Amino acid sequence: EAGVVQSPRYKIIEKKQPVAFWCNPISGHNTLYWYLQNLGQGPELLIRYENEEAVDDSQLPKDRFSAERLKGVDSTLKIQPAELGDSAVYLCASSFTGTLNEQFFGPGTRLTVL
Amino acid sequence: AQSVTQLDSQVPVFEEAPVELRCNYSSSVSVYLFWYVQYPNQGLQLLLKYLSGSTLVKGINGFEAEFNKSQTSFHLRKPSVHISDTAEYFCAVSKAAGNKLTFGGGTRVLVKP
């Protein structure tokens, strides 16, 4: 069974440019999460989806970040415009609802903003 | 709100020696507790979890953890480490009724030959 797929794995952009990350969860997982992991720190939740509905986006900086999961399967996280402080790893995770929070993580996208 | 503190940012250990990684949490409600491992340039992999029942939880790769409610701790142990255990380890908590994971800052384990 394929795990959580993320692309690209690495992205280098200049500040003020837009960037997008893509995530395909494990087949059948209806809950999808985007986490931000700064260097040397634990992941922090940005947004959680139940199917296509964003049920927790309280930590998403909505002035520059947006996310969508239109068909309740794969998801895209966008930053526009990117700032130097956005350099981090963006992790996607998925789970079945009701499996007592066992989340499966993708390899992440490492973003460097110059 | 919950919080997680991992008391050691780095733990150097010799191969075949035991290791203990400390984790303390705070929460006003019951929580589920997790340990994840992150190998370089990879995502997080679940090592073990405590949901209820026995306070001693066994996980993959020979790791185990003990939930101590009075101490609000969930320390991770392995009796004999291998070079391949070199990685970063994260403790996390989740409210019993919710899905959000709150992570600690991580402990980097470096296993030396």
Side-chain angles (χ1 to χ4, degrees):
Chain A
E1 179 182 290
V4 177
V5 178
Q6 291 188 248
S7 69
R9 290 293 313 277
Y10 305 91
K11 188 74 176 178
I12 300 174
I13 61 171
E14 295 192 347
K15 63 181 180 181
K16 301 185 181 180
Q17 294 300 305
V19 65
F21 315 124
W22 178 79
C23 172
N24 193 35
I26 292 173
S27 178
H29 282 190
N30 52 343
T31 304
L32 184 146
Y33 315 76
W34 283 102
Y35 287 89
L36 165 68
Q37 186 177 21
N38 286 306
L39 186 65
Q41 297 182 26
E44 300 172 23
L45 182 70
L46 288 172
I47 189 167
R48 174 169 67 95
Y49 282 93
E50 295 287 346
N51 299 304
E52 62 273 10
E53 182 183 0
V55 296
D56 184 355
D57 63 355
S58 57
Q59 301 302 310
L60 189 72
K62 298 181 183 62
D63 57 335
R64 297 184 300 107
F65 286 65
S66 64
E68 60 183 17
R69 194 185 185 201
L70 294 175
K71 296 182 179 178
V73 180
D74 57 346
S75 175
T76 302
L77 178 69
K78 298 178 182 177
I79 309 174
Q80 182 170 13
E83 298 179 351
L84 295 176
D86 296 330
S87 295
V89 175
Y90 293 82
L91 293 167
C92 180
S94 70
S95 70
F96 286 114
T97 299
T99 52
L100 301 177
N101 305 313
E102 182 163 354
Q103 297 176 26
F104 295 84
F105 285 80
T109 296
R110 182 178 297 276
L111 174 67
T112 301
V113 182
L114 303 176
Chain B
Q2 309 124 70
S3 66
V4 179
T5 301
Q6 292 184 240
L7 297 164
D8 307 295
S9 59
Q10 291 189 67
V11 173
V13 57
F14 286 105
E15 194 173 16
E16 297 184 8
V19 70
E20 178 180 82
L21 308 184
R22 297 179 292 169
C23 172
N24 287 88
Y25 69 92
S26 66
S27 176
S28 57
V29 298
S30 297
V31 294
Y32 298 149
L33 296 152
F34 306 81
W35 275 99
Y36 282 86
V37 60
Q38 187 175 34
Y39 299 103
N41 297 317
Q42 294 187 30
L44 281 72
Q45 180 183 2
L46 183 66
L47 276 177
L48 49 79
K49 59 186 176 184
Y50 173 79
L51 305 179
S52 64
S54 173
T55 57
L56 183 62
V57 180
K58 294 189 183 299
I60 62 171
N61 300 342
F63 284 93
E64 64 180 33
E66 186 157 18
F67 170 55
N68 187 320
K69 189 174 182 179
S70 62
Q71 305 267 348
T72 60
S73 68
F74 190 54
H75 300 334
L76 180 71
R77 302 184 184 94
K78 184 170 183 177
S80 176
V81 297
H82 303 291
I83 295 289
S84 59
D85 292 322
T86 294
E88 187 137 23
Y89 293 79
F90 292 94
C91 181
V93 302
S94 171
K95 284 195 301 187
N99 280 328
K100 177 182 176 181
L101 282 171
T102 300
F103 286 88
T107 298
R108 187 175 299 275
V109 173
L110 176 60
V111 181
K112 303 176 182 179

